[in-house]
């Protein structure tokens, strides 16, 4: 371990070394290589951080020597020296994880300043005010980040100095003011830590490195990683870089910019800067910065150079870049570049534009959009024709609309959201400590800060709507309200925000269905050309079927027929059928249901003209169609007490007896699925007849109808053989009665482990298989979904016993193994056996990938997830090329 190379100079690294040097470090190295103006520095590797944790938070052997060696080189390169009173070397120390975690870990600027070097800085810049300002910033940051002193202590001193001097802004304070503040800051440090502020730059440096390593495991960083599914064992690199100053005067500044618009994807430079400011001032959202276009007027040469650099970086990385820069006395310095975070709209537009610009291939474009993010696009948005009571307008920081009760505090937001209520987090600005409030809220509204403020960046990352910098709203935390003109909005009042326009609207706004933009359409077409898996939808009525088709579904993978039985006009007939004493009584009720079912199937099959429609025969236990025993008992008591309607009372008592007879100890494993078909074949016969009569009718009308009749919950070949016969005989009868020939298939769902294990036998009776992974997950894990998710799943996830909720992300190891066995065994008997999935996993990207890998023919999911599945299927094809 002592031989490990823990420290790299910028020119020793490159972009590919990201896992060792962290994202920021690798990109600084790469920019140095390309010849861009990057202040020199070095990177301490993520490996050093991992070894630091392995050694119980001690620096690993050899690290200190290597750092000292590189400091020496840095001193030679810059011609400055740590602690030199005349030409002091000052550095920034920043974290840099492999996967960027904006604002989550710590940064120290101006390191190297002490009582002596500050004088050197004052003399060499001929600007004492600037030098003392740097020193007090350093004391404050170092005190907070490294020594763990609450920043509040420092802020109080600063505020009282301003009050004493009767000024409002920091820049109105003089060099002498800063000197007085410095003396007070040092006293705070001494009082809080029991030690003097460390004057030695090397000591400062090692303390800062230690603090950055430790910041990898702060609560907020851990929460962020959990939300973004970033592994805990990656560690962070530390970047030590010579300081450049954006706060030396009006020919200086600092800013952040995106090479394209991260909200819309529009191809134009997009960003903000602050004149005469340092480091984190822009992202911190304390002063509202100027748009980057203004730089073209204020410093045209710098702007031109900056624009060229942005173009070069975009071409080099072939991706939209998020850039940080500083201007020191008219000279441009690049401090960071990385692939920019963007909304899904922006990701789609940039991917499609870059293909058209010849920068990337279609396959790359497909992988540039996170399928799960598409969810936000496929959601409802504010009706553009609605009359809105617009309260104010802020910056459109993250698109989408959110409605919720106003809450001013993140803890409270979390608490109320846990009770199932929708909240909107409203704050002056957010900080990393608000992360749980943002997670819990539908959207975020801030009164300060620009498009790159914390709230904006984090909300975009989570795909949550955000309006920021809405200065018209005057927030008063004390009275838990905000004011716009003479209107007062209190905690708990419902408002809406539109993150695409920046509007803040009173009350709940009317929403409309989503549409697919032309770029999105194009990307999906490319995905269709690349994917191997077909994508179908689960739909139970003609309207959903049409929606599914619009979204590109290539058929219906599951029509659940039970919902049709629940309609108010049918439930009495269904109950009559269930409660019939004999088969004759049951058949009478079924005869009345038949035309209704036929009409259902007619509508769906017609909507899917030319495409396959898989219709599942009745699945849930019959008692689900009866009133609950408790409700009946209450009703009976009421009737008894009133003594009015004796006949009704008898009827209800009879019903209650039947309900009790039909009730089950464990309905999930009870009298349901094909077990119903075995005991009441006339029910399945009626459904098959309804399907085939609808089919015959549509064929006679000239439609192409492809019905697939599906038997649920099969565990044994003989079950399927018997029910298949019921279906086939019914089809034969309908053909004979109507004189119309039609094609159909009969298959089964694979939802029980036994069915999976005996797939070769079951395949003898099946034209197709469809994985019902909802039930297959329940029965493989022995978890009932409602109990698991309601009671113990979160413990399993928190303890990492399971990495994902298996009802959302397919459990490849267990359920997946059974699926693989099914595919192998089934296709051994019938090589062309059609196999799909219709459990909820069919629209979840990782599960879709697994279905691709094991060779399924299609996935089927809810209509709104069809575009997600199309893209995920294409990514699976690209990422799993043999
Ligand atoms: C399944 O079990 O995966 C399935 C699709 O059936 P249901 O969810 O209706 O039980
Ligand atoms: Mg099922």
């Amino acid at each position: 371990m002592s031989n490990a190379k823990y420290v790299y100079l910028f020119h020793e690294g490159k972009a590919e070394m990201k896992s060792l040097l962290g994202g920021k470090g690798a990109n600084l190295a790469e920019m140095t290589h390309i010849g861009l103006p990057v202040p020199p520095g070095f990177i301490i590797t993520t490996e050093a951080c991992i070894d630091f944790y392995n050694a119980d938070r001690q620096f690993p052997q050899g690290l200190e020597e290597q750092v000292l060696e590189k400091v020496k080189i840095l001193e030679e390169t810059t011609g400055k020296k740590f602690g030199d009173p005349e030409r002091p070397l000052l550095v920034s120390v920043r974290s840099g994880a492999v996967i960027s975690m904006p604002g989550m870990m710590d940064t120290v600027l101006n390191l190297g300043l002490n009582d002596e070097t500050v004088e050197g800085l004052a003399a060499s810049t001929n600007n004492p005010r600037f030098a003392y300002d740097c020193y007090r910033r350093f004391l404050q940051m170092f005190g907070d980040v490294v020594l763990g002193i609450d920043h509040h202590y420092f802020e109080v001193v600063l505020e009282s100095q301003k009050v004493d001097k009767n000024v409002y802004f920091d820049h109105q304070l003089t060099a002498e003011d800063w000197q007085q503040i410095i003396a007070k800051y040092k006293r705070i440090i001494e009082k809080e830590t029991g030690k003097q502020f460390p004057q030695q730059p090397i000591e400062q440096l090692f303390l800062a490195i230690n603090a950055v390593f430790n910041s990898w495991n702060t609560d907020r960083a851990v929460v962020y990683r959990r939300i973004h599914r970033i592994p805990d064992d990656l560690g962070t690199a530390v970047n030590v870089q010579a300081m450049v100053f954006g706060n030396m005067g009006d020919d200086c500044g600092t800013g952040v910019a995106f090479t394209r618009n991260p909200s819309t994807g529009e191809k134009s430079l997009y960003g903000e800067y602050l004149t005469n400011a340092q480091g984190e001032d822009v992202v911190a959202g304390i002063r509202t910065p100027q748009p980057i276009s203004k730089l073209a007027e204020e410093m045209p040469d710098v702007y031109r150079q900056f624009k060229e650099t942005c173009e070069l970086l975009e071409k080099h990385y072939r991706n939209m870049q998020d850039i940080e820069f500083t201007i020191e006395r008219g000279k441009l310095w690049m401090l960071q570049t990385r692939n920019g975070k963007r909304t899904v709209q922006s990701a789609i537009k940039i991917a499609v534009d870059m293909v058209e610009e010849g920068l990337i291939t279609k396959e790359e474009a497909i992988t540039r959009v996170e399928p799960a993010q598409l969810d936000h696009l496929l959601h409802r948005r504010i009706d553009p024709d609605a009359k809105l009571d617009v309260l104010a307008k802020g910056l459109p920081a993250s698109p989408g609309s959110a409605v919720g009760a106003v809450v001013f505090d993140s803890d409270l937001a979390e608490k109320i959201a846990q009770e199932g209520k929708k909240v909107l987090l409203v704050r002056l600005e957010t900080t990393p400590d608000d992360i749980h409030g943002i997670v819990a809220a539908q959207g975020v509204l801030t009164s300060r800060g620009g498009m790159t403020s914390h709230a904006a960046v984090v909300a975009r990352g989570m795909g949550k709507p955000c309006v920021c910098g809405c200065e018209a709203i005057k927030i008063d935390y004390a009275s838990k309200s905000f004011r716009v003109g003479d209107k007062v909005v209190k905690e708990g009042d419902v408002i809406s925000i539109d993150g695409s326009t920046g509007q803040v609207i009173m009350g709940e706004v009317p929403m409309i269905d989503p549409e697919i933009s032309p770029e999105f359409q194009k990307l999906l077409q490319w995905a269709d050309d690349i994917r191997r898996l077909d994508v179908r939808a689960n739909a139970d009525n003609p309207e959903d079927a049409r929606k599914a088709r619009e979204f590109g579904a290539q058929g219906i993978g599951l029509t659940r027929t039970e919902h049709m039985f629940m309609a108010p006009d049918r439930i009495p007939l269904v109950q009559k059928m269930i409660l019939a004493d004999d088969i004759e009584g049951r058949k009478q009720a079924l005869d009345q249901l038949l035309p209704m079912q036929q009409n259902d199937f007619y509508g769906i099959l017609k909507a899917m003209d030319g495409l396959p429609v898989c219709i599942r025969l009745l699945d849930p236990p019959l008692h689900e169609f009866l009133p609950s025993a408790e409700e009946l008992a209450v009703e009976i008591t009421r009737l008894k007490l009133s003594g009015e309607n004796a006949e009704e009372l008898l009827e209800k008592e009879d019903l209650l007896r039947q309900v009790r007879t039909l009730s089950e100890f464990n309905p999930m494993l009870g009298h349901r699925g094909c077990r119903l078909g075995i005991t009441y074949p006339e029910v399945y016969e009626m459904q098959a007849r309804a399907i085939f009569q609808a089919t015959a009718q549509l064929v006679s009308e000239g439609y192409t109808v492809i019905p697939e009749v599906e038997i649920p919950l099969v565990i044994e070949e003989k079950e399927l053989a018997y029910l298949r016969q019921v279906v086939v005989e019914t089809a034969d009868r309908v053909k004979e009665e109507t004189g119309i020939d039609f094609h159909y298939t009969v298959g089964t769902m694979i939802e029980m482990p036994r069915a999976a294990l005996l797939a070769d036998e079951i395949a003898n009776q099946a034209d197709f298989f469809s994985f019902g992974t909802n039930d297959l997950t329940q029965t493989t894990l022995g978890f009932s979904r409602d109990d698991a998710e309601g009671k113990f799943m979160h413990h399993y996830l928190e303890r990492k016993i399971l990495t994902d909720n298996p009802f959302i992300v397919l459990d490849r190891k267990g359920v997946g193994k059974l699926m693989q066995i099914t595919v192998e065994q089934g296709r051994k008997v019938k090589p062309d056996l059609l196999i799909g999935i219709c459990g909820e996993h069919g629209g979840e990207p990782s599960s879709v990938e697994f279905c691709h890998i094991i060779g399924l023919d299609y996935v089927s999911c809810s209509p709104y997830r069809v575009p997600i599945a199309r893209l995920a299927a294409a990514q699976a094809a690209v990422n799993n090329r043999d």
Side-chain angles (χ1 to χ4, degrees), residues 61-79:
Q61 209 186 339
L63 175 64
E64 282 159 304
E65 290 80 353
Q66 292 185 38
V67 168
L68 291 174
E69 206 181 285
K70 302 299 183 207
V71 166
K72 229 190 176 97
I73 298 174
L74 194 54
E75 288 178 336
E76 281 158 18
T77 322
T78 56

Side-chain angles (χ1 to χ4, degrees), residues 623-834:
H623 60 79
E624 283 199 9
F625 302 100
L626 298 177
S628 85
E630 288 79 25
E631 272 171 33
L632 278 172
V634 170
E635 186 70 356
I636 288 167
T637 313
R638 192 188 60 77
L639 285 169
K640 273 185 183 160
L641 285 175
S642 74
E644 276 166 17
N645 198 335
E647 202 179 320
E648 197 185 345
L649 177 63
L650 282 178
E651 237 173 60
K652 295 271 165 171
E653 282 177 333
D654 190 33
L655 187 56
L656 180 61
R657 255 192 306 281
Q658 302 261 26
V659 167
R660 293 218 160 111
T661 318
L662 282 169
S663 90
E664 292 181 298
F665 292 107
N666 191 340
M668 182 190 109
L669 302 175
H671 191 184
R672 57 172 287 216
C674 66
R675 300 158 204 172
L676 284 177
I678 301 283
T679 42
Y680 305 115
E682 55 280 5
V683 177
Y684 276 18
E685 195 187 314
M686 178 279 283
Q687 290 197 291
R689 176 170 279 278
I691 294 170
F692 294 134
Q693 289 186 8
T695 301
Q697 190 181 341
L698 284 160
V699 168
S700 73
E701 290 168 15
Y703 291 96
T704 307
V705 197
I706 312 171
E708 299 171 346
V709 182
E710 182 171 63
I711 314 290
L713 231 65
V714 161
I715 54 150
E716 161 61 44
E717 182 184 350
K718 294 194 193 82
E719 275 175 325
L720 187 57
Y722 171 59
L723 293 170
R724 181 183 180 97
Q725 199 184 340
V726 170
V727 175
V728 170
E729 282 172 4
T730 308
D732 289 345
R733 273 198 294 275
V734 173
K735 283 184 188 175
E736 207 180 288
E737 287 159 16
T738 58
I740 294 168
D741 197 19
F742 50 80
H743 184 75
Y744 68 94
T745 53
V746 185
T748 181
M749 293 188 75
I750 302 288
E751 297 172 282
M752 298 285 134
R754 192 177 194 273
L757 296 169
L758 301 180
D760 52 345
E761 295 180 15
I762 292 173
N764 288 322
Q765 305 298 329
D767 302 319
F768 63 86
F769 284 168
S770 172
F771 287 107
T773 44
N774 301 333
D775 273 310
L776 190 58
T777 302
Q778 297 202 92
T779 50
T780 302
L781 279 78
F783 285 5
S784 109
R785 180 170 187 169
D786 292 343
D787 290 322
E789 290 184 337
K791 297 188 176 76
F792 58 84
M793 184 71 78
H794 64 282
H795 291 290
Y796 272 64
L797 296 175
E798 253 161 41
R799 274 168 220 220
K800 303 206 162 94
I801 295 172
L802 291 174
T803 5
D804 295 293
N805 177 344
F807 292 105
I808 296 172
V809 179
L810 188 89
D811 161 42
R812 293 190 186 196
K813 243 165 96 181
V815 177
K817 196 169 194 170
L818 285 170
M819 291 171 72
Q820 249 167 322
I821 293 172
T822 308
V823 173
E824 273 162 32
Q825 296 297 310
R827 294 231 173 103
K828 201 170 71 191
V829 177
K830 289 190 178 160
D832 296 330
L833 186 67
L834 175 75

Side-chain angles (χ1 to χ4, degrees), residues 350-363 365 526:
I350 291 174
V352 170
D353 285 354
M354 283 192 168
V355 170
E356 278 159 10
E357 290 161 28
L359 222 51
I360 59 172
T361 64
K362 287 179 184 168
E363 293 199 352
W526 295 340

Side-chain angles (χ1 to χ4, degrees), residues 4-114:
K5 181 172 166 66
Y6 285 129
V7 190
Y8 286 75
L9 290 166
F10 287 169
H11 66 75
E12 292 178 309
K14 50 180 189 267
E16 292 75 47
M17 292 164 75
K18 195 168 157 187
S19 64
L20 187 66
L21 303 181
K24 181 180 278 200
N27 286 328
L28 281 168
E30 188 75 11
M31 283 201 291
T32 307
H33 263 298
I34 312 174
L36 292 177
V38 177
F42 56 84
I43 308 148
I44 301 166
T45 63
T46 51
E47 214 170 84
C49 178
I50 295 163
D51 289 347
F52 168 84
Y53 279 101
N54 288 339
D56 240 355
R57 303 197 185 213
Q58 300 292 323
F59 283 152
Q61 209 186 339
L63 175 64
E64 282 159 304
E65 290 80 353
Q66 292 185 38
V67 168
L68 291 174
E69 206 181 285
K70 302 299 183 207
V71 166
K72 229 190 176 97
I73 298 174
L74 194 54
E75 288 178 336
E76 281 158 18
T77 322
T78 56
K80 298 177 180 172
K81 244 176 149 48
F82 258 165
D84 184 333
E86 258 143 52
R87 292 184 58 76
L89 171 65
L90 304 182
V91 296
S92 63
V93 179
R94 295 172 202 257
S95 60
V98 179
I99 301 164
S100 127
M101 296 165 52
M104 284 299 129
M105 287 180 300
D106 290 333
T107 292
V108 181
L109 302 177
N110 303 328
L111 188 140
L113 281 173
N114 59 24

Side-chain angles (χ1 to χ4, degrees), residues 831-845:
D832 296 330
L833 186 67
L834 175 75
I835 308 181
I837 179 176
C838 64
E840 275 180 53
H841 304 90
E844 189 283 320

